[in-house]
Amino acid sequence: YDDQEMTAKVEVIMREWISLCYSPTGQRSPQESLAQMIQLMHEHGVLATDDKITQFFRLCVENCVDISVRVMKSEQIANGLPTNLIRHRCYYTLDAFVKLMALMIRHSDNGQSQNKINLLKKLLNIIVGVLHMDHEVRKTDFNAMPYHRILISLFNEITGPDPLKLLEPIAWSILEAFGQTFFALQPRRMPGFAFAWLDIVGHRNVIGRLLANTGIAETVDSVKTAATYTQLIISHLKFLAPFLRNIQLPKSIAILYKGTLRVLLVILHDFPELLCEFHYVICDTIPPNCVQLRNLILSAFPHEMRLPDPFALNFKQVDTIPEMAVEPKSNLNMATIIPDNIRVPLDEYLANRTPVDFLPRLPTLLQTPNQSGTKYNTTVMNALVLYVGIRAIENLHLRRQRISTLSIAHTSFMDIFQNLAIQLDTEGRYLLFNGIANQLRYPNAHTHYFSCVFLYLFKNSTNDTIQEQITRILFERLVALRPHPWGLLITFIELIKNPTYNFWRYEFTSCAPEIQRLFQNVANTCV
Amino acid sequence: LGYDLTTLGLSLNTQDRKLHRSFGGPWADSPIRAHELDVKVPDEYLTH
Amino acid sequence: PLGRTSMTKEFDLQLAALELACDKATFPLDSEKPRNYLTKMSFPVPSWYGQTAPSTADSLEYYLRLAPDTLFFIFYYMEGTRAQLLAAKALKKLSWRFHTKYLTWFQRHEEPKQITDDYEQGTYVYFDFEKWSQRKKESFTFEYKFLE
C-alpha cells in the first residue's frame, strides 16, 4: 500500500528536482544540485531506511509513468499537437528523473564502488518491478514508452564516456546489471514491451558498449559482454520462433522480424566472430523453416579471414585450403549437450562398434513424445551430429589423416550418419540433414568434414530418396535470398560439377520443368 | 520469410566495422546521419 | 516435412499483447537525447528532395569541400553532433581558429604585426554569427589562452 504522505513527498521532491535540473546552475554544476536534492530528501526522511528508499523510487517511477501516460492521452484528445511535441513534454520529466538516478549512482559514497552498483541494481529492479506490474495490470492500456526512455537513457548516462573514471572499477558489474535487466524484460515475459525491448537491445550504444567495448566498457572482458548479448538475442529468437515456425506473420510479427534482421545484419557486419562462436546455440533456436535467418547466422566468418571464391575452386583445391583443417573456435562443452542415455552408448559404439543394437535403437532415442509439432528432439539431433563430427575429426587427427571423402568412409562415425539416413523417416532425415547443413560455414574443419559427409552419403546411398533429400536441404538454402554460407556453396557446386556424383542423372532433377529450370539457373550461377 | 537484406537501409558494403555507430535502430530505414549523431564535443562548442 | 506446431494459449496471449504494442510502436526520438534547437524529427518532404545524405557525407573530405558559411551553419546549428565536430575539423584545416571566449571563428587576414608567447595581434577576418557574415577586425589581440 502507499501512504499518501510519501506520495506527497515524491511530488514535492520531483517538482523541486525538475526545476533545479534544467536551471543554468543545474546544467553547469550538477553535483551541487545533487547535494541540494540529497539534503532535501534527508529532510523529508525518504532516505532514512532501505525500505523508504525503495518506496520513494518506486513512487517516482510510477509518478513519471503516470505523467507521461496522461500527457500522451492528451495527445489522443487534442489530436492537433504533433507527436514529437507531446513526446518532448514526456521526455522533460523522464529525463530529469534519469539524471537524478544517474547522478546518485555516479556520486554516491565516493570511492565505495560497491554502493554505486548496489544502488544501480536496486533502481533497475524497481523499474523492472513497476514495469512488470504495469504490464500485467494495465494490459491493453500498457504503454511502453516511459520505461523504454528511462531504461535506454539510464544506460546511455551510466555506460557513456567516463572521463573521471568514476565507474571504471565496476564497469563489468554495471553492464552485467543492465544485461540481467534486459533479460528479465525479454519479450517472452513481457510481449507488450517487445518493440521497446528490441529498440533498446538493438540500440547503437548497447551494441557498441556490449560488443565494441566503447564508453565505460573499454576495460571489460569482451568475452563476457558478448555472451551477455548473445543470451539476449537467443531469448528474443525463442519468442519469435513459434510464430516464424508457423509462418504466422501478422503485422506485429513481420515488423519485429524485420527489425531483428536489421540488428543481426549489423552484428554480422561488425561482430561476425560472435555469430561464428555462438552459431550452434543460435541456430538451435531458429525454426528449421527460417532458412534465410539461419543462413545469415551461418554466413558469418572471422573478420581477418579472406574467403576463397567458391566458384573458382574445385573440391581438390578446397581440400588443400589450410583453414579447412582448423577446428573453429567454440565455447560449447560438447559432453553436456547430449543426454547421458545417448552419449554413453554412443561413446561405446564410436570406440568399439558395440553394442550392435545401438544403431537400430538410435532413431527412437532421438524422438521426443511431448514436444508439439515434431516427434524428434531437434536439439539432441543437432548435438548428436556435431558431437559425432567433432569426435570423427579428432580420430582423423590421431590417425594423421586429412579430412576427405575417402578418409571419413568405413568408420564408426560414418556408420552413425549412414544408418540414421537409412533408418529415419522423412521428417527425421530432414532434421538430420539440417543438423549437418548447419555446419557448412566458413573454411574450417567442421565445414570440411560435414561437406564430405554430405558428398559421401550422396554418392554411397542406394536409395534415391536420400539423394533427393540431401538435394532439397542444400537447395532450399541456396534459393533463399542472400546471404549464403561459403560451405553450402562449395558443397553444392561440387555435387553438380563433379561427374562422380552423377547429379543430373537423378530423376528428381528433372521431375518438373520449373524445377529443371531452377536447378539449371542455380547451376549456371554456381558454375 | 525471405527479405532482400540489401533493402533494409544498411550500407553492408562498408569495410569498416562501424555500421553499429550510425545504426538507427531496428525500425530505421536509413542510418543516422552525422547531424543526428550525438557525440561528445568540447564544452566550448556548446555555444547555445 | 515438419508441418506446423500447435499454437498454445500462451502464444495467443503473447501475440495479442504484441499486436496492441504494435499500435503504440516506438517513436525514433524515444531513445534519443532531446535537442531543443534542432530536433531530429523527420518531416514529410516532397519525394524529389534529397531523401538520404550522399554516402560519402560522413567524412572530413566531404566537409572540406563545403563553403565556410556552410561549415559555420553546421557548427552553430548542429551542436553536440558528429557533424559539428567534422565542421570544426574542416574549418581548422581551412586555417580558421576558434576563440573560446567569443565563441567565434577567426582567420588571419595577414601576418600578425606582433606575436608573443601569450598572444598575437593583427588584422583578422571573423565570422559574426549574429549578423551571419564574415567581417574584418583590425588590431585585434588573439590571446592564446582563448585559442581552442
Side-chain angles (χ1 to χ4, degrees), chain A residues 245-247 288-289 372-374 427 430, chain C residues 1-6:
Chain A
R245 168 72 187 285
N246 281 352
I247 329 263
N289 61 305
S372 69
T374 172
E427 177 181 346
Y430 179 80
Chain C
L2 301 179
R4 291 171 175 277
T5 46
S6 51

Side-chain angles (χ1 to χ4, degrees), chain C residues 36-50:
Chain C
N36 309 318
Y37 50 89
L38 183 86
T39 60
K40 285 175 250 182
M41 61 192 167
S42 52
F43 278 105
V45 292
S47 61
W48 52 85
Y49 285 10

Side-chain angles (χ1 to χ4, degrees), chain A residues 314-345:
Chain A
N314 64 44
F315 213 66
K316 289 223 174 340
Q317 291 164 305
V318 165
D319 278 349
T320 58
I321 297 172
E323 289 86 353
M324 288 293 254
V326 178
E327 286 268 340
K329 191 177 167 199
S330 162
N331 47 29
L332 275 173
N333 176 351
M334 286 316 297
T336 59
I337 67 169
I338 302 184
D340 285 350
N341 69 312
I342 295 181
R343 191 172 54 79
V344 172

Side-chain angles (χ1 to χ4, degrees), chain A residues 484-496:
Chain A
H484 298 107
W486 182 84
L488 170 72
L489 292 167
I490 57 147
T491 307
F492 194 71
I493 290 169
E494 174 65 5
L495 206 51
I496 60 176

Side-chain angles (χ1 to χ4, degrees), chain A residues 84 87 91 95 140 142 145 148-149 188 191-192 194-196 199 203-204 239 242-243 245-246 248 250 252-253 255 288 372-373 427 430, chain C residues 1-7 10-11 13-15 17-27 29-36 39 41:
Chain A
N84 61 309
R87 278 316 222 249
Y91 302 160
D95 295 355
T140 51
F142 171 74
M145 191 282 279
H148 176 197
R149 182 134 186 113
R188 279 185 295 171
F195 290 97
D199 198 77
H203 193 277
R204 62 185 180 282
F239 170 72
F243 308 107
R245 168 72 187 285
N246 281 352
Q248 188 183 2
S252 59
I253 294 288
I255 293 173
S372 69
E427 177 181 346
Y430 179 80
Chain C
L2 301 179
R4 291 171 175 277
T5 46
S6 51
M7 295 310 271
E10 186 200 357
F11 291 150
L13 289 173
Q14 285 182 351
L15 191 52
L18 199 71
E19 287 287 292
L20 275 170
C22 193
D23 298 336
K24 299 176 204 138
T26 65
F27 196 67
L29 286 177
D30 287 347
S31 50
E32 297 300 330
K33 222 189 270 179
R35 201 183 296 154
N36 309 318
T39 60
M41 61 192 167

Side-chain angles (χ1 to χ4, degrees), chain B residues 44-45, chain C residues 98-104 142 145-148:
Chain B
E44 302 90 355
Y45 284 10
Chain C
F98 187 60
H99 193 288
T100 57
K101 182 180 172 197
Y102 299 127
L103 305 182
T104 305
F142 197 132
K145 67 183 177 187
F146 295 125
L147 171 63
E148 185 229 347

Side-chain angles (χ1 to χ4, degrees), chain A residues 23-75:
Chain A
S23 68
T25 40
Q27 305 264 356
R28 236 196 314 275
S29 43
Q31 271 179 267
E32 277 167 42
S33 336
L34 175 67
Q36 283 183 51
M37 285 318 292
I38 299 288
Q39 178 60 33
L40 185 65
M41 290 174 177
H42 278 307
E43 284 160 17
H44 283 277
V46 299
L47 304 179
T49 66
D50 208 35
D51 287 351
K52 287 269 183 211
I53 294 173
T54 303
Q55 190 189 21
F56 170 73
F57 279 108
R58 181 170 57 74
L59 286 170
C60 281
V61 175
E62 289 174 0
N63 182 294
C64 289
V65 170
D66 288 347
I67 290 171
S68 298
V69 171
R70 244 182 295 120
V71 166
M72 282 190 284
K73 268 205 175 14
S74 71
E75 161 193 337

